[in-house]
Amino acid sequence: MYGSASFNFKDWLNVDITGRNDWSSTLPKSANSVFYPSIGAAFVFTDALNMRGSVLSYGKLRASWTRVGNDTDPYQLAAVYGSGTPWAGSPSFTAPDRLPNASLKPEETTGKEVGADLGFFRTS
């Protein structure tokens, strides 16, 4: 599921909000839902404060925050045995090289960004 909303005030303040939810089949049912919110804002201070001049012709401050998630590879919750080469007419199997973890949770990472866009010496 995904949703977004954008707000604008007098063309000098913009706010964008998003939300996304994913469900992963590779995580335990108790922790398979991952929600990713984000918010971003931009403020054109030269327009809002009527600061346009001969040196500074455009100025905008912006900031954003987001959280993203990640699931895992398949077959990490339980031991899965692979079929090997038959030996003397009997089937053989290989044991996994990793220990399973039935209580895995999604990985979450948070990102932040702040910046400025500035324009100088533009006469028009």
Side-chain angles (χ1 to χ4, degrees):
M1 291 186 352
Y2 178 80
S4 68
S6 294
F7 304 96
N8 181 291
F9 182 74
K10 295 188 177 183
D11 289 333
W12 50 260
L13 179 62
N14 297 295
V15 177
D16 296 312
I17 301 169
T18 66
R20 173 179 163 180
N21 202 89
D22 288 339
W23 290 268
S24 172
S25 62
T26 62
L27 293 171
K29 287 184 181 182
S30 63
N32 70 348
S33 178
V34 184
F35 181 64
Y36 313 87
S38 73
I39 185 167
F43 176 61
V44 183
F45 63 88
T46 50
D47 290 350
L49 304 174
N50 200 19
M51 293 178 60
R52 290 183 188 249
S54 60
V55 176
L56 179 64
S57 53
Y58 179 79
K60 175 171 72 173
L61 300 175
R62 55 186 165 72
S64 65
W65 175 90
T66 186
R67 184 174 64 217
V68 295
N70 191 20
D71 60 1
T72 186
D73 293 331
Y75 311 114
Q76 301 298 311
L77 304 178
V80 177
Y81 295 88
S83 60
T85 305
W87 186 74
S90 296
S92 68
F93 296 92
T94 59
D97 59 354
R98 296 182 191 172
L99 293 175
N101 184 351
S103 60
L104 282 177
K105 293 183 180 173
E107 172 188 10
E108 290 185 350
T109 304
T110 300
K112 301 170 194 166
E113 180 180 304
V114 176
D117 297 329
L118 303 173
F120 296 97
F121 306 113
R122 193 175 314 153
T123 58
S124 57

